[in-house]
Amino acid sequence: VLFEPRGAPVRFNRKRQKVYVYEYKKSIWPWKRWPVVIKVFDWADIQGERVQLAGHADWGHRIYCAVCKPGTYEVVDRFVLAWTVGNLRDAYSLWSHCCHYMEARPVPKNPLLTDKPADWTPFRTVRWPPDVERESTTATGMM
């Protein structure tokens, strides 16, 4: 629990219609640095999934993104969009916000979740590779 990364950032690039996921590859040695895997998916292949958790340490609603084979609902990969949010409305709002953003529809100006992540989370140490950093933050043809 002390060494395991807590989450992975996800970037949405509306112009390219791509989703970039920064994931840690699990190691059997939790105290060693876990290698990073960058995954890139087409937005058209992603479906949202909500799961309700009821454990003593982890409860609430979690949003997963299921990556399907193009044109089907056959899941080939999954990644976590939101680890746990307390109520159902927040979970659906987050997924709706992502869909509106990627479809270039109006999105709320105010943040959905205003809590700052704790200082000990790995987000301060996330370093995207330079080519992925450039691709995930630019439009097509601007490289």
Side-chain angles (χ1 to χ4, degrees):
V1 170
L2 295 175
F3 299 102
E4 184 175 335
R6 293 289 185 246
V10 177
R11 283 188 175 172
F12 293 89
N13 187 318
R14 179 173 39 207
K15 299 290 185 188
R16 293 180 186 267
Q17 289 295 294
K18 299 280 187 188
V19 178
Y20 301 83
V21 182
Y22 189 103
E23 287 187 340
Y24 294 94
K25 188 170 180 163
K26 195 168 191 168
S27 168
I28 60 170
W29 308 109
W31 54 87
K32 287 191 170 187
R33 183 179 295 271
W34 292 16
V36 172
V37 177
I38 306 292
K39 296 181 179 180
V40 181
F41 302 109
D42 290 323
W43 172 250
D45 300 334
I46 295 176
Q47 299 291 320
E49 299 177 324
R50 181 193 58 87
V51 176
Q52 184 171 359
L53 304 169
H56 76 320
D58 197 7
W59 62 272
H61 303 275
R62 185 174 290 171
I63 302 293
Y64 286 95
C65 289
V67 182
C68 301
K69 283 186 179 177
T72 71
Y73 291 110
E74 183 181 337
V75 177
V76 294
D77 202 351
R78 275 189 179 86
F79 61 91
V80 176
L81 180 62
W83 285 95
T84 306
V85 292
N87 66 53
L88 186 59
R89 184 171 185 225
D90 288 344
Y92 284 131
S93 294
L94 177 61
W95 178 246
S96 177
H97 186 96
C98 293
C99 291
H100 277 95
Y101 174 77
M102 290 302 282
E103 295 164 9
R105 292 190 283 167
V107 294
K109 299 280 187 223
N110 297 328
L112 296 172
L113 304 173
T114 57
D115 296 340
K116 288 176 60 179
D119 283 343
W120 52 266
T121 61
F123 291 106
R124 293 182 300 137
T125 59
V126 168
R127 290 182 183 84
W128 294 85
D131 57 331
V132 176
E133 175 78 29
R134 188 172 39 261
E135 181 183 326
S136 67
T137 58
T138 61
T140 311
M142 295 183 69
M143 294 172 52

